[in-house]
């Protein structure tokens, strides 16, 4: 099972609020879970990534929470800003799979 | 900051024609990838390349696709006979090793008419 399921498909958050995006996977061989940010017409850019040996990782306003038993991970954007408006993709790789398996993406809009 | 560069940024081609998309990965990276993103959809893995050979490929990467590292810096994706459904953004990426940070290029928008 190579799928990574991402929700919600779109999200509107007020400036200063918390944006939360969720992902779930089935392949227990996955051992690397990055989040990418993509602006229109640009390539995906790595935001933050986590491995299964930790349950949480924080970098600035971005936090990944990881639940290995539930096979779920989520991205939290604290103090969301209009400049955070973009499409966010979760992804996973591992277990001999070189390439990343991406979720379908979340279109995030931060309203001023 | 090192970056992955792709050329051209936009390519328009007629159905049935061959196209070559070019990428220059980050110089000290060893693993190279091609991904595809159809407009408004998710990014899909096509192929990975290591030590001058294909390491892994997806179901999308059929016989019409091929990859090559013709010299020490370039990494190319060739589509032999383009179809309308090949229209997409094609991204090149590179990593130092497997399952680590992947750096993506800005993409080539391929339009098949």
């Amino acid at each position: 099972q190579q799928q990574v399921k991402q929700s919600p498909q779109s999200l509107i958050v007020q400036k200063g609020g918390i944006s939360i995006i969720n992902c779930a996977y089935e392949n227990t061989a996955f051992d690397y879970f990055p989040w990418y940010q993509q602006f229109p017409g640009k390539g995906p850019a790595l935001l933050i990534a986590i491995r299964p040996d930790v349950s949480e990782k924080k970098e600035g306003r971005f936090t990944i929470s990881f639940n290995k038993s539930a096979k779920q991970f989520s991205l939290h954007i604290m103090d969301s800003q209009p400049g955070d408006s973009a499409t966010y993709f979760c992804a996973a790789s591992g277990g001999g799979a070189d390439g990343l398996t991406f979720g379908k993406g979340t279109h995030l809009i931060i309203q001023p | 900051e090192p970056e992955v560069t792709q050329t051209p940024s936009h390519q328009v081609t007629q159905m049935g024609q061959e196209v070559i998309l070019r990428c220059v990965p980050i110089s000290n990276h060893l693993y190279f990838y091609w991904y595809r993103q159809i407009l408004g959809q998710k990014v899909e893995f096509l192929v990975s390349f290591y030590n001058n050979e294909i390491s892994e490929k997806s179901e999308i990467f059929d016989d019409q696709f091929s990859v090559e590292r013709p010299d020490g810096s370039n990494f190319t994706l060739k589509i032999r006979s383009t179809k309308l459904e090949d229209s997409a953004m094609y991204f090149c990426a590179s990593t130092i090793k497997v399952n680590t940070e992947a750096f993506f290029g800005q993409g080539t928008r391929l339009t098949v008419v």
Side-chain angles (χ1 to χ4, degrees):
Chain A
Q1 297 287 348
Q2 288 291 93
Q3 270 193 328
V4 176
K5 296 182 180 179
Q6 183 172 347
S7 62
Q9 187 175 348
S10 61
L11 181 62
I12 299 175
V13 175
Q14 295 296 314
K15 179 183 174 182
I18 303 173
S19 304
I20 302 173
I21 304 170
N22 301 298
C23 282
Y25 64 98
E26 294 187 5
N27 186 347
T28 55
F30 284 150
D31 60 5
Y32 176 66
F33 303 89
W35 283 90
Y36 281 84
Q37 180 188 58
Q38 186 180 34
F39 293 105
K42 302 294 185 181
L46 180 68
L47 265 181
I48 186 171
I50 198 167
R51 297 191 186 273
D53 53 343
V54 296
S55 60
E56 186 175 280
K57 183 175 181 181
K58 183 175 180 179
E59 289 183 1
R61 295 186 295 110
F62 301 95
T63 300
I64 298 180
S65 297
F66 185 82
N67 186 330
K68 187 174 181 178
S69 60
K71 291 183 283 187
Q72 296 175 347
F73 58 110
S74 61
L75 175 70
H76 291 62
I77 305 174
M78 313 300 286
D79 187 26
S80 300
Q81 299 297 312
D84 297 330
S85 297
T87 300
Y88 292 80
F89 293 95
C90 62
S93 67
D98 297 352
L100 291 164
T101 299
F102 281 84
K104 291 189 175 182
T106 296
H107 184 49
L108 175 65
I109 296 173
I110 307 300
Q111 290 187 332
Chain B
E1 184 173 312
E3 60 179 11
V4 175
T5 57
Q6 290 185 241
T7 55
S9 57
H10 190 190
Q11 173 117 27
V12 181
T13 188
Q14 292 210 331
M15 190 169 52
Q17 294 297 303
E18 175 183 286
V19 294
I20 297 177
L21 310 183
R22 303 179 191 280
C23 168
V24 178
I26 294 173
S27 61
N28 64 333
H29 285 189
L30 301 177
Y31 292 81
F32 315 119
Y33 309 82
W34 284 101
Y35 291 83
R36 170 182 92 174
Q37 185 178 33
I38 295 171
L39 185 64
Q41 298 187 23
K42 69 176 179 179
V43 179
E44 298 175 291
F45 169 74
L46 292 178
V47 65
S48 60
F49 192 86
Y50 171 71
N51 199 25
N52 281 320
E53 61 183 24
I54 290 175
S55 178
E56 183 190 10
K57 60 183 180 180
S58 72
E59 293 177 350
I60 302 170
F61 193 87
D62 60 22
D63 291 344
Q64 70 161 342
F65 292 94
S66 62
V67 290
E68 192 178 36
R69 188 155 164 83
D71 53 43
S73 60
N74 289 284
F75 179 51
T76 62
L77 174 69
K78 181 192 291 186
I79 309 175
R80 289 192 185 82
S81 178
T82 50
K83 305 171 189 170
L84 294 177
E85 54 264 39
D86 293 328
S87 296
M89 283 288 283
Y90 288 82
F91 293 105
C92 174
S94 68
T95 62
I96 289 179
K97 53 185 179 180
V98 179
N99 295 337
T100 57
E101 181 178 6
F103 289 82
F104 282 76
Q106 294 297 293
T108 293
R109 179 172 297 282
L110 176 65
T111 302
V112 182
V113 297

